[in-house]
Amino acid sequence: MSAAILDGKSLSEQLRAEAAAEVADFVKQTGVVPCLAAVLVGDDPGSQVYVRNKEKACEKAGIASQMHRLPKETTTDELLTLVDRLNRDPAVHGILVQLPLPKQIDERRVLEAVSPMKDVDAFHPENVGRIVQGRPRFLPCTPHGIVEMLRRNNIPTAGANVVVVGRSDIVGKPMAILLMQRGPAGDATVTVCHSRTRDLPAVTRSADILIVAIGQPKFIKADMVKPGAVVIDVGMNRTEAGLVGDVDFPAVKEVAARITPVPGGVGLLTVAMLLHNTLAAARLQQTSR
Ligand code: NDP
């Protein structure tokens, strides 16, 4: 039997509507309009699309946005100067530096320079530390979107064997941390795999919930999936055939119980969670005044 589709489109619409309602409430109570500043360095076409989508989503949710475009030859110091200005601007609540940055820029220094109170991507080491300790200020957008997808589709994580393939700081690591935390939407038994994992198919076949974020088109085949598993495909690979995930969707959907498509799955949730984080940042800054 073919797997049921986990629909990211309708969920993202729901999450965005919730954010818009909460923003409207916040503006009514405080007179403050949450504002996200996006910084885009260079002319990477993918990044331009992502930033434009984020801007549009803000507008629809009643969140103000600023767009800061810098040329591709920008130096680390020039970018740090802009980040410092945005950190000190009381009208800016969230700061997003679109990755990847051009090679000459020290990415780590830039991400560490963003005020932890405005770090809506949750990349700052202070925020990462808080997430690990289970007292987050912001949750990282893509893993948080996946948690919401599992929770709102009544997919239990407590005691489940979750296998995360990929150990990036943006997806794999924070995903594993969120699902192993105590409490609702956590309590999973989590295994993290990467390019050095021995006998990957044996590990992925042990997963009740398989989450794949490796950036390799159609890498996960049907024989790597336990029958009846839930499969979450984070991959977004631009190929000649269009956007494809890390999972061989047509084959795996015949084995899995539930599966996310690409496009139309996880990708849409990331922007929705960014709206929630921008509002959370505005709230934080309002209460710390
Ligand atoms: P990275 O390139 O930063 O990390 C890839 C990870 O996958 C690494 O840990 C790497 O292992 C592992 N890996 C690569 N090849 C294999 C393999 N053959 N077997 C096992 N592990 C492997 O990727 P990201 O996490 O940034 O992104 C992953 C994918 O998710 C991409 O397609 C990206 O476009 C997409 N993405 C989607 C988002 C969304 O909003 N939906 C957001 C962010 C990313 P090792 O560490 O050993 O090198």
Side-chain angles (χ1 to χ4, degrees):
M1 212 177 69
S2 200
I5 302 295
L6 292 166
D7 178 10
K9 190 161 184 286
S10 63
L11 176 57
S12 82
E13 279 162 11
Q14 191 186 335
L15 291 166
R16 284 161 66 152
E18 286 172 15
E22 285 180 42
V23 168
D25 243 26
F26 178 77
V27 174
K28 211 159 117 193
Q29 280 169 21
T30 63
V32 173
V33 177
C35 174
L36 175 70
V39 180
L40 178 59
V41 187
D43 42 24
D44 178 68
S47 294
Q48 300 206 22
V49 174
Y50 293 143
V51 170
R52 182 74 200 111
N53 287 345
K54 289 169 186 173
E55 253 188 314
K56 275 199 251 172
C58 281
E59 198 184 313
K60 280 194 187 157
I63 292 175
S65 64
Q66 297 180 359
M67 177 68 184
H68 299 268
R69 285 175 192 276
L70 296 176
K72 62 176 182 305
E73 51 283 347
T74 299
T75 64
T76 302
D77 283 343
E78 284 164 341
L79 184 49
L80 288 173
T81 303
L82 172 60
V83 168
D84 181 51
R85 181 156 68 74
L86 297 173
N87 281 342
R88 285 188 287 126
D89 184 345
V92 169
H93 304 104
I95 301 172
L96 175 156
V97 180
Q98 184 64 43
L99 302 179
L101 290 168
K103 296 257 174 304
Q104 77 278 7
I105 293 181
D106 185 340
E107 190 170 294
R108 182 165 281 189
R109 261 184 83 196
V110 172
L111 296 182
E112 286 184 12
V114 173
S115 160
M117 300 286 279
K118 298 190 177 186
D119 173 38
V120 286
D121 269 329
F123 291 161
H124 191 286
E126 182 182 317
N127 285 324
V128 176
R130 293 183 70 109
I131 292 162
V132 172
Q133 291 183 346
R135 48 191 192 109
R137 192 179 272 137
F138 306 109
L139 292 176
C141 297
T142 302
H144 188 194
I146 294 169
V147 165
E148 286 302 313
M149 180 170 257
L150 295 173
R151 196 170 70 80
R152 293 178 189 230
N153 284 286
N154 301 314
I155 296 168
T157 53
N161 285 332
V162 175
V163 174
V164 179
V165 191
R167 57 175 164 182
S168 72
D169 289 344
I170 296 175
V171 187
K173 273 187 212 163
M175 185 76 258
I177 299 291
L178 294 190
L179 290 172
M180 61 165 271
Q181 295 293 356
R182 278 205 182 88
D187 285 333
T189 304
V190 183
T191 306
V192 181
C193 302
H194 44 75
S195 66
R196 307 295 297 271
T197 296
R198 206 175 296 147
D199 197 357
L200 182 66
V203 185
T204 56
R205 272 197 301 271
S206 72
D208 303 314
I209 301 173
L210 177 62
I211 302 175
V212 191
I214 58 176
Q216 308 280 342
K218 299 186 177 182
F219 181 86
I220 298 290
K221 307 291 182 202
D223 62 0
M224 297 170 79
V225 176
K226 175 159 90 177
V230 174
V231 178
I232 308 285
D233 188 354
V234 188
M236 296 214 288
N237 308 291
R238 280 166 212 290
T239 69
E240 280 177 5
L243 190 67
V244 296
D246 290 342
V247 173
D248 182 2
F249 181 84
V252 172
K253 94 174 181 335
E254 299 307 320
V255 179
R258 308 178 92 175
I259 187 167
T260 59
V262 178
V266 169
L268 300 164
L269 306 179
T270 303
V271 177
M273 300 330 290
L274 178 69
L275 303 177
H276 282 267
N277 280 356
T278 305
L279 174 61
R283 278 204 180 107
L284 266 174
Q285 282 153 65
Q286 197 60 19
T287 49
S288 65
R289 259 163 207 276

